[in-house]
Amino acid sequence: MTNSPVFLSETRSNCELSACGLKLNIGRQRLTEAEFESLLQKAKDCGLLDRQIKMMQGEVVNASENRQALHTSLRSEDPQAPHFQEVNITRQRMYDLARAVRNGQWLGATGKRITDVINVGIGGSEMGPHAVYHALREINPAIKLHFLSAVDGVLADRILGVLNPETTIAVISSKSFSTRETMLNAELVYDWYQSAGIQEKEQLTKHVFLVSAKETACAEMNLPEENRFPIWSWVGGRFSVWGAIGLPLVIALGPEVFAAFLYGAYEMDRHMAESREEANLPVTLALLSYWNSTHLEMGSHCLLPYDERLRLVVAWLQQLEMESLGKSIRPDGTVITTRTGQAVWGGFGNEAQHSFYQWLRDGSSRTSIDLVWCEEAGHKHAHHHLVLNANAQAQAQALVTRQTPSEVFFNAVSTIRIHRLTPETLGAFMALYEHKTTMLATLYGLNAFDQPAVEYGKKLCRELEIRLAS
């Protein structure tokens, strides 16, 4: 390993790439131009782009479950994309329901207008929608969205205790319709409705919708089949915000906003598929992450958004990368002995400066960092925006400048500038990291789409729950 790594900007004149309203600067990454060129050649030699395109075309890439991974089909504008028609049918049903709720045609069981939506779901059924809602919500929305995820009664009480069941819709999202936390919270929400007199099937039909791959889910919940919106075996939970898992977003934000969000992601898909490796944003992020993990032995990756609207993207990315790449067994059963996925963490950058930046700047560790800011403000307070972005740009440099020079401990920083945070650029930003993650799985030789260790933990929990209840 290089003992005293140099910055890429010291040997390469052009360190900035642009696409879909995003500008990626990699000048503060710790490698030479020759080393970066060798990474690009590795991408070409292993067919990184070709394998990504084949995934989008429907090739089976989830070997352990013998499944496709077609989350890109959920946002595709290409009629030739796999499952294009069935995706569009479901999307149109989502849009029709959302418009009816938003314009007052769809009323609650007692004839009152809907003012709130509860997203009942955990993991991929919560993190993506929650991050998108936090980024795109209005200051005082006409329809508010709430997230009931963990089986913590405090969270349930804080949501159900302030809402009116007569004006609230619940969307229960579980691919298998067996996720323990989700089903337990669904029972609680049903009790809440029934305590308010909303008990009959015709009444519940006005308030409860299901998002699931299980065809008997509605029968189990005493609902008509038209209250179920499908997700499919070829979409993993952490990649699912683009489909029916986004139903609460469509209701709360509106079909037009959600459609623009999808379009931005589709534009990033096109950029990924059509751009050569040297100009490809997802390829660049994946190669640098691979270099930092395997060559520079950086165990963690820190995401630092300097925009309140992007605060929850950190948790979304944490699940996306760590559940996809936190593995040491190849699909063929052989053990990987080198580093694979990094630990992903971070926080809202301006607050984090007063929290853990001391550790980043002067601690005994190596960390790769993505620092993100928006060039245009999302508010009218011009001087606040100036100060916030001055902090972002200053810290991008400060984080690669140590108080005590060290050849052992250091950071590597990339910056991403978003021209203006819109539904389109948010979609492109999130799709960028999806492609980075699945490309990294190719580079590491992993299956990005299963999570066997998570399933084992669920099994132990079920066994212990039975013992504790007896």
Side-chain angles (χ1 to χ4, degrees):
M1 190 193 76
T2 304
N3 289 326
S4 183
V6 300
F7 293 128
L8 183 59
S9 60
E10 294 174 24
T11 60
R12 185 182 180 92
S13 59
N14 181 16
C15 294
E16 188 160 285
L17 295 82
S18 301
C20 306
L22 314 179
K23 294 179 181 178
L24 169 65
N25 188 291
I26 58 175
R28 296 180 182 86
Q29 288 292 322
R30 305 276 187 165
L31 73 173
T32 65
E33 181 174 13
E35 289 167 331
F36 186 60
E37 291 297 327
S38 71
L39 287 174
L40 289 169
Q41 189 59 50
K42 178 179 179 64
K44 295 172 184 177
D45 291 344
C46 74
L48 191 61
L49 280 175
D50 288 342
R51 295 181 68 171
Q52 196 76 355
I53 292 168
K54 287 179 180 177
M55 177 194 76
M56 295 171 62
Q57 292 173 339
E59 184 171 292
V60 172
V61 291
N62 182 350
S64 66
E65 298 172 335
N66 193 33
R67 290 175 176 172
Q68 302 164 306
L70 286 169
H71 46 280
T72 52
S73 284
L74 298 177
R75 60 209 187 208
S76 181
E77 298 280 326
D78 181 2
Q80 301 304 313
H83 307 287
F84 183 80
Q85 291 300 328
E86 59 186 312
V87 167
N88 273 353
I89 290 170
T90 295
R91 188 187 303 154
Q92 191 57 55
R93 288 182 58 215
M94 293 163 60
Y95 289 176
D96 289 346
L97 174 63
R99 290 190 180 99
V101 172
R102 292 175 64 82
N103 66 24
Q105 289 181 314
W106 186 282
L107 303 174
T110 60
K112 294 181 180 178
R113 190 160 183 154
I114 301 299
T115 59
D116 295 271
V117 178
I118 305 174
N119 184 100
V120 184
I122 197 167
S125 298
E126 183 265 342
M127 289 182 175
H130 205 164
V132 174
Y133 180 67
H134 189 79
L136 300 181
R137 59 161 290 180
E138 297 176 352
I139 295 173
N140 187 25
I143 298 178
K144 296 181 175 66
L145 180 53
H146 313 265
F147 293 87
L148 179 54
S149 52
V151 282
D152 188 324
V154 172
L155 177 62
D157 286 348
R158 287 180 176 177
I159 294 174
L160 302 181
V162 298
L163 299 183
N164 180 356
E166 297 181 17
T167 61
T168 301
I169 280 176
V171 180
I172 302 168
S173 297
S174 171
K175 183 176 178 179
S176 65
F177 216 65
S178 63
T179 306
R180 186 68 180 116
E181 297 93 334
T182 300
M183 301 318 297
L184 195 61
N185 279 331
E187 292 175 14
L188 191 63
V189 169
Y190 257 55
D191 290 343
W192 180 66
Y193 278 123
Q194 289 171 352
S195 296
I198 301 172
Q199 301 174 348
E200 302 300 324
K201 183 174 183 177
E202 293 75 13
Q203 296 173 312
L204 290 169
T205 297
K206 294 291 185 178
H207 292 272
V208 181
F209 297 89
L210 311 181
V211 179
S212 178
K214 190 173 184 181
E215 294 182 356
T216 60
C218 280
E220 295 174 22
M221 300 298 286
N222 193 31
L223 292 170
E225 179 56 29
E226 54 264 30
N227 278 44
R228 182 177 73 94
F229 291 80
I231 51 178
W232 299 278
S233 62
W234 37 266
V235 178
R238 54 191 174 275
F239 298 91
S240 64
V241 67
W242 320 99
I245 291 296
L247 176 62
L249 293 173
V250 184
I251 298 172
L253 301 175
E256 295 75 18
V257 171
F258 191 75
F261 172 64
L262 297 184
Y263 187 75
Y266 171 64
E267 286 291 285
M268 180 56 70
D269 295 342
R270 290 183 58 197
H271 163 75
M272 183 282 301
E274 298 172 4
S275 300
R276 67 188 191 280
E277 287 84 354
E278 293 81 359
N280 198 298
L281 267 68
V283 168
T284 301
L285 283 187
L287 291 175
L288 290 173
S289 181
Y290 180 77
W291 171 266
N292 290 331
S293 175
T294 61
H295 186 81
L296 296 183
E297 298 182 350
M298 292 179 165
S300 75
H301 179 73
C302 187
L303 178 63
L304 299 170
Y306 275 77
D307 194 295
E308 169 60 34
R309 295 168 293 179
L310 296 175
R311 179 189 292 268
L312 298 188
V313 171
V314 176
W316 168 81
L317 182 65
Q318 186 176 69
Q319 187 209 19
L320 176 68
E321 288 202 20
M322 294 181 74
E323 201 162 72
S324 298
L325 305 173
K327 297 154 190 173
S328 57
I329 306 294
R330 296 185 181 91
D332 64 6
T334 58
V335 177
I336 297 174
T337 56
T338 58
R339 287 182 181 268
T340 54
Q342 297 171 289
V344 179
W345 60 293
F348 178 47
N350 192 213
E351 293 175 352
Q353 291 173 209
H354 302 269
S355 174
F356 54 74
Y357 274 37
Q358 171 64 32
W359 183 89
L360 284 173
R361 282 208 64 206
D362 210 19
S364 55
S365 185
R366 300 173 189 162
T367 307
S368 63
I369 300 166
D370 286 350
L371 196 148
V372 185
W373 70 88
C374 296
E375 293 176 321
E376 290 190 13
H379 52 78
K380 298 179 180 179
H381 311 289
H383 199 68
H384 278 68
H385 187 63
L386 184 150
V387 172
L388 183 64
N389 281 4
N391 272 277
Q393 294 170 56
Q395 293 298 333
Q397 186 60 31
L399 287 168
V400 293
T401 309
R402 283 197 165 256
Q403 296 289 85
T404 304
S406 171
E407 295 182 354
V408 179
F409 310 121
F410 48 81
N411 299 319
V413 173
S414 291
T415 64
I416 299 177
R417 306 196 313 274
I418 303 174
H419 176 61
R420 183 165 62 94
L421 189 64
T422 64
E424 290 91 341
T425 54
L426 178 66
F429 182 77
M430 294 174 70
L432 166 64
Y433 278 98
E434 282 188 347
H435 286 301
K436 171 204 170 184
T437 300
T438 53
M439 287 178 176
L440 272 170
T442 297
L443 292 168
Y444 289 134
L446 299 174
N447 177 6
F449 304 104
D450 61 0
Q451 51 279 335
V454 174
E455 297 305 319
Y456 178 64
K458 291 178 182 178
K459 176 179 178 294
L460 293 181
C461 183
R462 286 192 295 269
E463 294 172 354
L464 186 56
E465 182 183 339
I466 293 171
R467 286 168 51 193
L468 292 174
S470 61

